Amino acid sequence: MTERALPDLDQSLATTSTDAAGDATAAAEDAAVRAHQPAHGARNTRVIWLLLAATFVVFLNETIMGVAIPHLVTDLRITLEAAQWLTTGFMLTMAIVIPITGFLLQRFATKPMFITAMSLFSAGTALAALAPGFEVLLAGRIVQATGTAIMLPLLMTTLMTVVAPSDRGRFMGRISIVMSVAPAIGPTIAGLILTFLSWRFMFLLVLPIALVMLVIGARRVENVSETKRLPLDVLSVVLSALGFGGLVYGLSLIGGESAGTAPAGAMWIALGVGIVGITTFIVRQLVLQRRDRALLDLRTFRSANFAVSVALMVVVMATLFGTLIVLPVYLQNVLELEPLATGLLLLPGGLAMGLLGPTVGRLYDKVGPRPLLVPGSIGVSAVLWLLTTVGPTTPVWLVLAAHVFLSLSLAFMFTPLFTSALGSVEPRFYSHGSAIIGTVQQVAGAAGTALFITVLASVQVEQLAAGSTAVAAEAAGVQQAFLIGAVISLVAIVGAFFVRRPADVPAGEFAGH
Protein backbone atom coordinates (compact mmCIF):
# COMPACT_ATOMS: atom_id res chain seq x y z
CA MET A 1 0.00 0.00 0.00
CA THR A 2 1.34 3.41 -0.92
CA GLU A 3 1.98 6.18 1.60
CA ARG A 4 -0.58 8.32 -0.17
CA ALA A 5 -3.22 5.64 0.35
CA LEU A 6 -2.68 5.52 4.10
CA PRO A 7 -4.28 8.92 4.87
CA ASP A 8 -7.18 7.95 2.60
CA LEU A 9 -7.65 4.73 4.57
CA ASP A 10 -7.49 6.64 7.85
CA GLN A 11 -10.04 9.13 6.53
CA SER A 12 -12.30 6.28 5.39
CA LEU A 13 -12.11 4.58 8.78
CA ALA A 14 -12.79 7.87 10.56
CA THR A 15 -15.76 8.58 8.31
CA THR A 16 -17.12 5.06 8.87
CA SER A 17 -16.74 5.48 12.62
CA THR A 18 -18.45 8.86 12.53
CA ASP A 19 -21.30 7.51 10.42
CA ALA A 20 -21.74 4.55 12.77
CA ALA A 21 -21.82 6.85 15.78
CA GLY A 22 -24.27 9.10 13.98
CA ASP A 23 -26.52 6.15 13.15
CA ALA A 24 -26.45 4.99 16.77
CA THR A 25 -27.32 8.48 17.99
CA ALA A 26 -30.12 8.74 15.44
CA ALA A 27 -31.52 5.37 16.48
CA ALA A 28 -31.47 6.44 20.12
CA GLU A 29 -33.22 9.71 19.29
CA ASP A 30 -35.87 7.90 17.23
CA ALA A 31 -36.46 5.44 20.07
CA ALA A 32 -36.85 8.31 22.51
CA VAL A 33 -39.41 9.97 20.27
CA ARG A 34 -41.39 6.76 19.83
CA ALA A 35 -41.34 6.20 23.58
CA HIS A 36 -43.64 9.21 23.96
CA GLN A 37 -46.30 7.79 21.66
CA PRO A 38 -48.03 5.03 23.64
CA ALA A 39 -47.66 6.59 27.10
CA HIS A 40 -49.47 9.51 28.75
CA GLY A 41 -52.44 9.27 26.36
CA ALA A 42 -54.72 11.70 28.25
CA ARG A 43 -51.93 14.25 28.71
CA ASN A 44 -50.93 14.08 25.05
CA THR A 45 -54.52 14.44 23.85
CA ARG A 46 -55.00 17.49 26.07
CA VAL A 47 -51.82 19.10 24.73
CA ILE A 48 -52.91 18.52 21.13
CA TRP A 49 -56.37 19.98 21.72
CA LEU A 50 -54.86 23.08 23.34
CA LEU A 51 -52.48 23.50 20.42
CA LEU A 52 -55.36 23.00 17.94
CA ALA A 53 -57.45 25.68 19.63
CA ALA A 54 -54.56 28.13 19.77
CA THR A 55 -53.60 27.48 16.14
CA PHE A 56 -57.21 28.09 15.10
CA VAL A 57 -57.15 31.50 16.78
CA VAL A 58 -53.88 32.60 15.18
CA PHE A 59 -54.77 31.29 11.71
CA LEU A 60 -58.05 33.17 11.80
CA ASN A 61 -56.07 36.39 11.41
CA GLU A 62 -54.18 35.32 8.29
CA THR A 63 -57.10 36.13 5.94
CA ILE A 64 -59.05 38.61 8.02
CA MET A 65 -57.45 41.75 6.58
CA GLY A 66 -58.41 41.37 2.91
CA VAL A 67 -61.97 42.62 3.33
CA ALA A 68 -60.83 45.54 5.52
CA ILE A 69 -58.37 47.06 3.04
CA PRO A 70 -60.85 49.56 1.50
CA HIS A 71 -61.78 50.76 4.99
CA LEU A 72 -58.13 51.13 5.97
CA VAL A 73 -57.35 53.14 2.84
CA THR A 74 -60.01 55.65 3.90
CA ASP A 75 -59.47 55.66 7.68
CA LEU A 76 -55.67 55.75 7.64
CA ARG A 77 -55.42 57.87 4.47
CA ILE A 78 -53.00 55.50 2.77
CA THR A 79 -52.69 54.16 -0.75
CA LEU A 80 -54.06 50.80 -1.83
CA GLU A 81 -50.50 49.56 -2.46
CA ALA A 82 -49.53 50.44 1.13
CA ALA A 83 -52.64 48.76 2.54
CA GLN A 84 -51.83 45.54 0.67
CA TRP A 85 -48.64 45.31 2.75
CA LEU A 86 -50.79 44.35 5.74
CA THR A 87 -51.39 41.05 3.95
CA THR A 88 -48.09 40.83 2.07
CA GLY A 89 -46.06 41.64 5.20
CA PHE A 90 -47.87 38.93 7.13
CA MET A 91 -47.16 36.33 4.43
CA LEU A 92 -43.56 37.52 4.08
CA THR A 93 -42.90 37.19 7.81
CA MET A 94 -44.36 33.69 7.80
CA ALA A 95 -42.03 32.70 4.95
CA ILE A 96 -38.99 34.02 6.85
CA VAL A 97 -39.79 32.56 10.28
CA ILE A 98 -41.17 29.10 9.42
CA PRO A 99 -37.86 27.68 8.07
CA ILE A 100 -36.21 28.57 11.37
CA THR A 101 -38.77 26.60 13.40
CA GLY A 102 -37.06 23.31 12.47
CA PHE A 103 -34.14 24.40 14.66
CA LEU A 104 -36.26 26.06 17.36
CA LEU A 105 -38.45 23.01 17.96
CA GLN A 106 -35.37 20.85 18.51
CA ARG A 107 -33.68 23.38 20.76
CA PHE A 108 -36.63 24.34 22.98
CA ALA A 109 -39.38 22.31 24.64
CA THR A 110 -43.09 22.36 23.82
CA LYS A 111 -44.28 24.64 26.61
CA PRO A 112 -41.83 27.54 26.20
CA MET A 113 -42.38 27.47 22.42
CA PHE A 114 -46.16 27.64 22.93
CA ILE A 115 -45.84 30.52 25.39
CA THR A 116 -43.50 32.36 23.02
CA ALA A 117 -45.81 31.91 20.03
CA MET A 118 -48.99 33.00 21.83
CA SER A 119 -47.22 35.90 23.59
CA LEU A 120 -45.99 37.22 20.24
CA PHE A 121 -49.40 36.81 18.67
CA SER A 122 -51.17 38.50 21.60
CA ALA A 123 -48.68 41.38 21.64
CA GLY A 124 -49.06 41.88 17.90
CA THR A 125 -52.86 41.80 18.19
CA ALA A 126 -52.82 44.43 20.95
CA LEU A 127 -50.41 46.60 18.98
CA ALA A 128 -52.60 46.42 15.88
CA ALA A 129 -55.79 47.18 17.84
CA LEU A 130 -54.29 50.33 19.38
CA ALA A 131 -52.27 51.43 16.33
CA PRO A 132 -52.40 55.22 15.83
CA GLY A 133 -51.35 54.88 12.19
CA PHE A 134 -50.37 52.56 9.36
CA GLU A 135 -46.75 51.99 10.43
CA VAL A 136 -47.70 50.71 13.89
CA LEU A 137 -50.52 48.59 12.42
CA LEU A 138 -48.05 46.97 10.01
CA ALA A 139 -45.64 46.32 12.90
CA GLY A 140 -48.45 44.66 14.81
CA ARG A 141 -49.25 42.41 11.85
CA ILE A 142 -45.59 41.38 11.57
CA VAL A 143 -45.43 40.49 15.28
CA GLN A 144 -48.69 38.55 14.87
CA ALA A 145 -47.23 36.63 11.93
CA THR A 146 -44.13 35.70 13.93
CA GLY A 147 -46.27 33.93 16.50
CA THR A 148 -48.48 32.36 13.84
CA ALA A 149 -45.43 30.97 12.00
CA ILE A 150 -44.37 29.01 15.09
CA MET A 151 -47.77 27.49 15.89
CA LEU A 152 -48.41 25.18 12.93
CA PRO A 153 -44.95 23.49 12.93
CA LEU A 154 -45.25 23.18 16.73
CA LEU A 155 -48.66 21.51 16.38
CA MET A 156 -47.54 19.12 13.63
CA THR A 157 -44.28 18.16 15.35
CA THR A 158 -46.07 17.54 18.65
CA LEU A 159 -48.69 15.40 16.93
CA MET A 160 -46.09 13.28 15.14
CA THR A 161 -44.18 12.86 18.41
CA VAL A 162 -47.03 11.74 20.68
CA VAL A 163 -49.55 10.03 18.39
CA ALA A 164 -49.11 6.41 17.28
CA PRO A 165 -48.71 5.98 13.49
CA SER A 166 -52.02 4.11 13.18
CA ASP A 167 -53.95 7.10 14.62
CA ARG A 168 -52.17 9.96 12.86
CA GLY A 169 -54.70 10.32 10.05
CA ARG A 170 -57.50 10.92 12.53
CA PHE A 171 -55.55 13.58 14.40
CA MET A 172 -54.18 15.16 11.23
CA GLY A 173 -57.79 15.46 10.06
CA ARG A 174 -58.39 17.77 12.99
CA ILE A 175 -55.50 19.94 11.88
CA SER A 176 -57.23 20.29 8.52
CA ILE A 177 -60.13 21.94 10.36
CA VAL A 178 -57.76 24.62 11.59
CA MET A 179 -56.06 25.06 8.22
CA SER A 180 -59.27 25.33 6.20
CA VAL A 181 -62.08 26.62 8.42
CA ALA A 182 -60.11 29.39 10.15
CA PRO A 183 -58.92 31.10 6.92
CA ALA A 184 -62.31 30.48 5.29
CA ILE A 185 -64.36 32.21 7.98
CA GLY A 186 -61.85 35.04 8.39
CA PRO A 187 -63.25 37.18 5.54
CA THR A 188 -66.85 36.46 6.64
CA ILE A 189 -66.15 37.51 10.23
CA ALA A 190 -64.32 40.59 8.98
CA GLY A 191 -67.30 41.48 6.76
CA LEU A 192 -69.71 41.18 9.67
CA ILE A 193 -67.50 43.25 11.97
CA LEU A 194 -66.98 45.99 9.39
CA THR A 195 -70.70 46.17 8.72
CA PHE A 196 -71.38 47.28 12.29
CA LEU A 197 -68.06 48.23 13.93
CA SER A 198 -64.64 49.78 13.30
CA TRP A 199 -61.78 47.75 11.79
CA ARG A 200 -60.06 47.87 15.19
CA PHE A 201 -62.59 45.38 16.52
CA MET A 202 -61.10 42.72 14.24
CA PHE A 203 -58.23 42.76 16.72
CA LEU A 204 -60.06 43.80 19.89
CA LEU A 205 -62.41 40.81 19.66
CA VAL A 206 -59.56 38.36 19.05
CA LEU A 207 -57.25 39.72 21.78
CA PRO A 208 -59.12 38.39 24.85
CA ILE A 209 -59.44 34.96 23.21
CA ALA A 210 -55.71 34.91 22.50
CA LEU A 211 -54.90 35.95 26.09
CA VAL A 212 -57.17 33.24 27.50
CA MET A 213 -55.46 30.64 25.31
CA LEU A 214 -52.08 31.94 26.50
CA VAL A 215 -53.04 31.62 30.18
CA ILE A 216 -54.59 28.16 29.75
CA GLY A 217 -51.65 26.95 27.70
CA ALA A 218 -49.10 28.30 30.18
CA ARG A 219 -50.83 26.27 32.91
CA ARG A 220 -51.83 23.11 31.05
CA VAL A 221 -49.44 22.53 28.13
CA GLU A 222 -46.70 20.09 29.10
CA ASN A 223 -43.36 19.31 27.50
CA VAL A 224 -43.80 16.25 25.28
CA SER A 225 -40.73 16.47 23.07
CA GLU A 226 -37.04 15.75 23.56
CA THR A 227 -34.69 18.72 23.22
CA LYS A 228 -30.97 18.98 22.57
CA ARG A 229 -28.47 21.80 22.68
CA LEU A 230 -27.69 22.92 19.17
CA PRO A 231 -25.61 25.88 18.00
CA LEU A 232 -27.47 28.42 15.89
CA ASP A 233 -25.89 29.05 12.50
CA VAL A 234 -26.46 32.77 12.00
CA LEU A 235 -25.45 32.64 8.34
CA SER A 236 -28.20 30.10 7.66
CA VAL A 237 -30.75 32.41 9.30
CA VAL A 238 -29.65 35.31 7.09
CA LEU A 239 -29.68 33.18 3.94
CA SER A 240 -33.11 31.79 4.83
CA ALA A 241 -34.54 35.27 5.34
CA LEU A 242 -33.06 36.57 2.08
CA GLY A 243 -33.99 33.45 0.13
CA PHE A 244 -37.53 32.68 1.20
CA GLY A 245 -38.39 36.29 1.97
CA GLY A 246 -37.07 37.52 -1.37
CA LEU A 247 -38.85 34.78 -3.30
CA VAL A 248 -42.23 35.33 -1.64
CA TYR A 249 -41.93 39.11 -1.98
CA GLY A 250 -40.95 38.84 -5.63
CA LEU A 251 -43.86 36.51 -6.33
CA SER A 252 -46.23 38.92 -4.59
CA LEU A 253 -45.10 41.66 -6.99
CA ILE A 254 -45.69 39.67 -10.18
CA GLY A 255 -49.39 40.49 -10.41
CA GLY A 256 -48.73 44.18 -9.85
CA GLU A 257 -45.90 44.14 -12.40
CA SER A 258 -48.16 42.66 -15.08
CA ALA A 259 -50.84 45.24 -14.31
CA GLY A 260 -48.33 48.09 -14.28
CA THR A 261 -48.72 48.93 -10.57
CA ALA A 262 -45.53 47.43 -9.14
CA PRO A 263 -42.20 49.30 -9.19
CA ALA A 264 -40.25 48.60 -12.39
CA GLY A 265 -37.52 46.05 -11.80
CA ALA A 266 -38.35 45.46 -8.13
CA MET A 267 -39.90 42.11 -8.92
CA TRP A 268 -36.81 40.83 -10.74
CA ILE A 269 -34.46 42.07 -8.04
CA ALA A 270 -36.51 40.37 -5.30
CA LEU A 271 -36.78 37.13 -7.27
CA GLY A 272 -33.03 37.18 -8.03
CA VAL A 273 -32.17 37.71 -4.36
CA GLY A 274 -34.61 34.95 -3.41
CA ILE A 275 -33.24 32.39 -5.87
CA VAL A 276 -29.60 33.10 -4.99
CA GLY A 277 -30.41 33.10 -1.28
CA ILE A 278 -32.29 29.78 -1.39
CA THR A 279 -29.59 28.13 -3.51
CA THR A 280 -26.86 29.22 -1.09
CA PHE A 281 -29.05 28.24 1.86
CA ILE A 282 -29.48 24.71 0.47
CA VAL A 283 -25.74 24.29 -0.08
CA ARG A 284 -25.09 25.54 3.45
CA GLN A 285 -27.58 23.05 4.94
CA LEU A 286 -26.08 20.13 3.01
CA VAL A 287 -22.71 20.95 4.59
CA LEU A 288 -24.04 21.52 8.11
CA GLN A 289 -26.27 18.46 8.24
CA ARG A 290 -23.18 16.24 8.05
CA ARG A 291 -22.57 17.34 11.65
CA ASP A 292 -26.27 17.53 12.63
CA ARG A 293 -26.07 21.33 12.78
CA ALA A 294 -28.41 22.28 9.92
CA LEU A 295 -30.98 24.99 10.54
CA LEU A 296 -33.36 23.10 8.22
CA ASP A 297 -32.23 19.50 7.75
CA LEU A 298 -32.81 18.40 4.14
CA ARG A 299 -32.26 14.72 4.85
CA THR A 300 -36.05 14.52 5.05
CA PHE A 301 -35.97 14.38 1.24
CA ARG A 302 -34.11 11.07 1.38
CA SER A 303 -37.60 9.62 1.76
CA ALA A 304 -39.04 9.40 -1.76
CA ASN A 305 -42.56 9.40 -0.31
CA PHE A 306 -41.88 12.65 1.55
CA ALA A 307 -40.47 14.24 -1.60
CA VAL A 308 -43.43 13.14 -3.75
CA SER A 309 -45.97 14.26 -1.12
CA VAL A 310 -44.32 17.68 -0.78
CA ALA A 311 -44.17 18.11 -4.57
CA LEU A 312 -47.87 17.27 -4.83
CA MET A 313 -48.54 19.67 -1.97
CA VAL A 314 -46.90 22.47 -3.98
CA VAL A 315 -49.32 21.87 -6.85
CA VAL A 316 -52.37 21.68 -4.59
CA MET A 317 -51.47 24.76 -2.51
CA ALA A 318 -50.67 26.85 -5.59
CA THR A 319 -54.02 25.91 -7.12
CA LEU A 320 -55.91 26.56 -3.89
CA PHE A 321 -54.41 29.99 -3.19
CA GLY A 322 -54.76 31.02 -6.83
CA THR A 323 -58.43 30.07 -6.77
CA LEU A 324 -59.02 31.83 -3.45
CA ILE A 325 -57.62 35.09 -4.85
CA VAL A 326 -59.36 34.97 -8.24
CA LEU A 327 -62.80 33.74 -7.18
CA PRO A 328 -63.62 36.80 -4.98
CA VAL A 329 -62.41 39.08 -7.80
CA TYR A 330 -64.83 37.34 -10.17
CA LEU A 331 -67.73 37.44 -7.71
CA GLN A 332 -67.32 41.14 -6.93
CA ASN A 333 -66.14 42.61 -10.24
CA VAL A 334 -68.00 40.41 -12.73
CA LEU A 335 -71.10 39.19 -10.87
CA GLU A 336 -71.12 42.44 -8.83
CA LEU A 337 -71.70 40.90 -5.39
CA GLU A 338 -71.04 42.88 -2.21
CA PRO A 339 -67.97 41.92 -0.13
CA LEU A 340 -70.13 40.50 2.67
CA ALA A 341 -72.15 38.43 0.18
CA THR A 342 -68.88 37.20 -1.32
CA GLY A 343 -67.59 36.12 2.07
CA LEU A 344 -70.85 34.35 2.90
CA LEU A 345 -70.86 32.56 -0.47
CA LEU A 346 -67.34 31.21 0.12
CA LEU A 347 -68.09 30.21 3.71
CA PRO A 348 -69.93 26.87 3.07
CA GLY A 349 -66.97 25.48 1.12
CA GLY A 350 -64.48 26.31 3.86
CA LEU A 351 -66.73 24.82 6.53
CA ALA A 352 -67.33 21.69 4.45
CA MET A 353 -63.59 21.22 3.95
CA GLY A 354 -62.87 21.50 7.65
CA LEU A 355 -65.77 19.39 8.87
CA LEU A 356 -64.87 16.60 6.46
CA GLY A 357 -61.28 16.58 7.73
CA PRO A 358 -61.77 14.15 10.67
CA THR A 359 -63.73 11.75 8.45
CA VAL A 360 -60.95 11.80 5.86
CA GLY A 361 -58.45 11.23 8.64
CA ARG A 362 -60.27 8.10 9.82
CA LEU A 363 -60.49 6.86 6.22
CA TYR A 364 -56.76 7.43 5.86
CA ASP A 365 -56.09 5.25 8.92
CA LYS A 366 -58.15 2.48 7.29
CA VAL A 367 -57.19 2.56 3.61
CA GLY A 368 -54.07 4.73 3.27
CA PRO A 369 -53.53 7.79 1.06
CA ARG A 370 -53.96 6.64 -2.54
CA PRO A 371 -57.71 5.78 -2.47
CA LEU A 372 -58.33 9.30 -1.14
CA LEU A 373 -55.84 11.30 -3.20
CA VAL A 374 -56.86 9.96 -6.60
CA PRO A 375 -60.58 10.88 -6.44
CA GLY A 376 -59.71 14.11 -4.62
CA SER A 377 -57.31 15.25 -7.34
CA ILE A 378 -59.81 14.30 -10.07
CA GLY A 379 -62.48 16.34 -8.28
CA VAL A 380 -60.19 19.39 -8.01
CA SER A 381 -59.33 19.19 -11.69
CA ALA A 382 -62.98 18.78 -12.74
CA VAL A 383 -64.04 21.91 -10.84
CA LEU A 384 -61.21 23.99 -12.27
CA TRP A 385 -62.14 22.94 -15.81
CA LEU A 386 -65.75 23.92 -15.01
CA LEU A 387 -64.61 27.33 -13.76
CA THR A 388 -62.94 28.02 -17.12
CA THR A 389 -66.49 28.52 -18.47
CA VAL A 390 -67.69 31.17 -15.99
CA GLY A 391 -68.78 34.56 -17.28
CA PRO A 392 -71.04 37.57 -16.55
CA THR A 393 -74.21 35.44 -16.82
CA THR A 394 -73.11 32.45 -14.74
CA PRO A 395 -75.66 31.69 -11.97
CA VAL A 396 -74.39 32.36 -8.46
CA TRP A 397 -75.66 28.96 -7.30
CA LEU A 398 -73.38 27.24 -9.82
CA VAL A 399 -70.33 29.08 -8.45
CA LEU A 400 -71.39 28.15 -4.91
CA ALA A 401 -71.78 24.48 -5.84
CA ALA A 402 -68.44 24.48 -7.65
CA HIS A 403 -66.65 26.00 -4.66
CA VAL A 404 -68.20 23.53 -2.22
CA PHE A 405 -67.25 20.57 -4.43
CA LEU A 406 -63.73 21.98 -4.84
CA SER A 407 -63.40 22.30 -1.07
CA LEU A 408 -64.61 18.73 -0.51
CA SER A 409 -62.13 17.45 -3.09
CA LEU A 410 -59.29 19.35 -1.44
CA ALA A 411 -60.29 17.86 1.92
CA PHE A 412 -59.56 14.43 0.45
CA MET A 413 -56.04 15.61 -0.39
CA PHE A 414 -54.74 17.70 2.50
CA THR A 415 -54.91 15.19 5.36
CA PRO A 416 -53.42 12.26 3.36
CA LEU A 417 -50.61 14.47 2.05
CA PHE A 418 -49.64 15.90 5.44
CA THR A 419 -49.84 12.53 7.18
CA SER A 420 -47.98 10.61 4.46
CA ALA A 421 -45.26 13.25 4.20
CA LEU A 422 -44.43 13.51 7.91
CA GLY A 423 -44.98 9.81 8.54
CA SER A 424 -42.28 9.01 5.96
CA VAL A 425 -39.40 10.77 7.73
CA GLU A 426 -37.34 9.62 10.69
CA PRO A 427 -38.76 10.80 14.04
CA ARG A 428 -35.66 12.92 14.74
CA PHE A 429 -36.54 14.95 11.62
CA TYR A 430 -40.19 15.62 12.50
CA SER A 431 -39.55 19.28 13.37
CA HIS A 432 -37.63 19.82 10.13
CA GLY A 433 -40.34 18.07 8.11
CA SER A 434 -43.01 20.27 9.70
CA ALA A 435 -40.98 23.40 8.93
CA ILE A 436 -40.50 22.31 5.31
CA ILE A 437 -44.23 21.71 4.88
CA GLY A 438 -45.06 25.11 6.38
CA THR A 439 -42.50 26.82 4.15
CA VAL A 440 -43.82 25.04 1.07
CA GLN A 441 -47.33 26.26 1.90
CA GLN A 442 -46.21 29.87 1.97
CA VAL A 443 -44.05 29.73 -1.17
CA ALA A 444 -46.56 27.67 -3.16
CA GLY A 445 -49.39 29.94 -2.04
CA ALA A 446 -47.46 33.01 -3.15
CA ALA A 447 -46.57 31.34 -6.46
CA GLY A 448 -50.18 30.32 -7.12
CA THR A 449 -51.47 33.79 -6.29
CA ALA A 450 -48.84 35.42 -8.52
CA LEU A 451 -49.53 33.07 -11.43
CA PHE A 452 -53.31 33.44 -11.36
CA ILE A 453 -53.23 37.22 -10.89
CA THR A 454 -50.61 37.64 -13.62
CA VAL A 455 -52.68 35.69 -16.15
CA LEU A 456 -55.85 37.52 -15.14
CA ALA A 457 -54.26 40.97 -15.35
CA SER A 458 -52.46 40.29 -18.64
CA VAL A 459 -55.57 38.98 -20.41
CA GLN A 460 -57.63 41.83 -18.96
CA VAL A 461 -55.23 44.43 -20.40
CA GLU A 462 -55.28 42.72 -23.81
CA GLN A 463 -59.08 42.56 -23.85
CA LEU A 464 -59.44 46.21 -22.88
CA ALA A 465 -57.02 47.20 -25.63
CA ALA A 466 -59.15 45.21 -28.08
CA GLY A 467 -62.24 47.20 -27.12
CA SER A 468 -63.96 44.84 -24.65
CA THR A 469 -65.98 46.22 -21.75
CA ALA A 470 -64.42 46.17 -18.28
CA VAL A 471 -66.68 43.33 -17.13
CA ALA A 472 -66.07 41.23 -20.24
CA ALA A 473 -62.31 41.83 -20.03
CA GLU A 474 -62.20 40.77 -16.38
CA ALA A 475 -64.33 37.69 -17.10
CA ALA A 476 -61.91 36.66 -19.87
CA GLY A 477 -58.98 37.08 -17.50
CA VAL A 478 -60.69 34.95 -14.84
CA GLN A 479 -61.36 32.19 -17.39
CA GLN A 480 -57.73 32.09 -18.49
CA ALA A 481 -56.50 32.05 -14.89
CA PHE A 482 -58.68 29.05 -14.12
CA LEU A 483 -57.51 27.41 -17.36
CA ILE A 484 -53.91 27.59 -16.11
CA GLY A 485 -55.02 26.07 -12.80
CA ALA A 486 -56.92 23.32 -14.60
CA VAL A 487 -53.87 22.36 -16.65
CA ILE A 488 -51.65 22.32 -13.54
CA SER A 489 -54.21 20.17 -11.72
CA LEU A 490 -53.59 17.36 -14.20
CA VAL A 491 -50.14 17.01 -12.65
CA ALA A 492 -51.80 16.41 -9.28
CA ILE A 493 -53.84 13.53 -10.70
CA VAL A 494 -50.69 11.81 -11.94
CA GLY A 495 -48.81 12.50 -8.71
CA ALA A 496 -51.63 11.07 -6.58
CA PHE A 497 -50.85 7.57 -7.87
CA PHE A 498 -47.28 7.76 -6.51
CA VAL A 499 -48.03 8.59 -2.86
CA ARG A 500 -48.00 5.52 -0.65
CA ARG A 501 -48.58 4.80 3.00
CA PRO A 502 -45.51 5.43 5.21
CA ALA A 503 -43.28 2.44 5.70
CA ASP A 504 -43.38 2.70 9.50
CA VAL A 505 -47.10 1.78 9.57
CA PRO A 506 -47.70 -1.95 9.04
CA ALA A 507 -50.45 -2.67 6.52
CA GLY A 508 -52.50 -4.58 9.11
CA GLU A 509 -52.81 -1.50 11.33
CA PHE A 510 -55.01 0.22 8.77
CA ALA A 511 -57.63 -2.47 9.05
CA GLY A 512 -58.17 -1.95 12.73
CA HIS A 513 -59.33 1.69 12.71
Side-chain angles (χ1 to χ4, degrees), residues 21-48:
D23 291 341
T25 302
E29 291 174 0
D30 289 353
V33 170
R34 288 193 175 96
H36 282 273
Q37 292 174 353
H40 308 296
R43 181 200 68 174
N44 294 342
T45 301
R46 181 173 66 248
V47 170
I48 290 174

Side-chain angles (χ1 to χ4, degrees), residues 208-475:
I209 301 174
L211 291 174
V212 168
M213 293 306 306
L214 173 59
V215 172
I216 294 176
R219 297 180 59 185
R220 304 298 297 274
V221 168
E222 299 181 47
N223 296 322
V224 296
S225 60
E226 296 289 332
T227 61
K228 54 184 179 181
R229 298 191 65 84
L230 296 171
L232 176 63
D233 185 61
V234 178
L235 179 58
S236 292
V237 175
V238 174
L239 292 173
S240 173
L242 290 174
F244 293 107
L247 185 60
V248 169
Y249 179 54
L251 290 170
S252 72
L253 292 178
I254 289 179
E257 182 81 13
S258 63
T261 59
M267 177 193 73
W268 294 111
I269 294 173
L271 289 175
V273 170
I275 292 171
V276 172
I278 289 177
T279 302
T280 312
F281 175 79
I282 291 173
V283 172
R284 179 72 174 167
Q285 302 320 295
L286 293 175
V287 172
L288 291 175
Q289 69 190 24
R290 298 172 186 170
R291 294 172 287 161
D292 286 327
R293 292 183 55 187
L295 184 72
L296 190 63
D297 203 307
L298 303 180
R299 282 176 287 185
T300 51
F301 287 100
R302 289 180 179 177
S303 165
N305 203 47
F306 178 83
V308 171
S309 298
V310 168
L312 189 54
M313 208 176 296
V314 170
V315 175
V316 174
M317 294 303 299
T319 303
L320 171 62
F321 275 80
T323 301
L324 289 179
I325 198 72
V326 168
L327 204 53
V329 171
Y330 166 72
L331 291 171
Q332 294 182 53
N333 296 351
V334 178
L335 297 187
E336 299 180 343
L337 297 183
E338 294 295 325
L340 180 57
T342 299
L344 291 173
L345 187 142
L346 298 177
L347 181 60
L351 292 175
M353 187 193 304
L355 295 175
L356 188 61
T359 301
V360 173
R362 287 191 291 269
L363 288 173
Y364 174 92
D365 290 334
K366 291 180 180 179
V367 302
R370 197 172 301 164
L372 303 173
L373 288 172
V374 172
S377 59
I378 292 173
V380 169
S381 185
V383 172
L384 289 171
W385 283 107
L386 173 65
L387 291 175
T388 63
T389 66
V390 297
T393 60
T394 302
V396 173
W397 66 264
L398 181 61
V399 180
L400 173 62
H403 183 254
V404 170
F405 191 76
L406 175 68
S407 301
L408 293 175
S409 300
L410 287 168
F412 275 86
M413 300 193 71
F414 282 134
T415 298
L417 285 176
F418 289 138
T419 313
S420 297
L422 285 176
S424 300
V425 303
E426 298 174 48
R428 62 187 174 127
F429 295 140
Y430 283 157
S431 62
H432 294 285
S434 299
I436 289 171
I437 288 175
T439 304
V440 162
Q441 285 182 279
Q442 297 302 313
V443 175
T449 299
L451 178 61
F452 277 53
I453 289 296
T454 298
V455 173
L456 191 158
S458 300
V459 173
Q460 184 181 16
V461 169
E462 292 176 2
Q463 291 289 317
L464 289 172
S468 297
T469 63
V471 171
E474 191 127 28

Side-chain angles (χ1 to χ4, degrees), residues 26 29 66 68 81 107 121 159-160 193 200 202 212 230 311 327 359 395 427 440 499 506-507 510:
E29 291 174 0
E81 289 77 14
R107 179 66 180 82
F121 179 79
L159 184 150
M160 295 301 296
I193 291 173
R200 294 183 185 276
M202 293 191 302
V212 168
L230 296 171
L327 204 53
T359 301
V440 162
V499 179
F510 284 94

Side-chain angles (χ1 to χ4, degrees), residues 154-231:
L154 175 62
L155 172 59
M156 284 191 169
T157 302
T158 302
L159 184 150
M160 295 301 296
T161 301
V162 303
V163 175
S166 58
D167 292 327
R168 285 173 183 165
R170 179 164 54 92
F171 279 90
M172 199 67 76
R174 295 168 183 170
I175 293 182
S176 70
I177 298 177
V178 170
M179 296 182 59
S180 54
V181 174
I185 67 175
T188 305
I189 292 177
L192 289 171
I193 291 173
L194 293 171
T195 301
F196 303 103
L197 300 167
S198 161
W199 60 266
R200 294 183 185 276
F201 281 87
M202 293 191 302
F203 303 104
L204 289 172
L205 295 178
V206 170
L207 181 58
I209 301 174
L211 291 174
V212 168
M213 293 306 306
L214 173 59
V215 172
I216 294 176
R219 297 180 59 185
R220 304 298 297 274
V221 168
E222 299 181 47
N223 296 322
V224 296
S225 60
E226 296 289 332
T227 61
K228 54 184 179 181
R229 298 191 65 84
L230 296 171

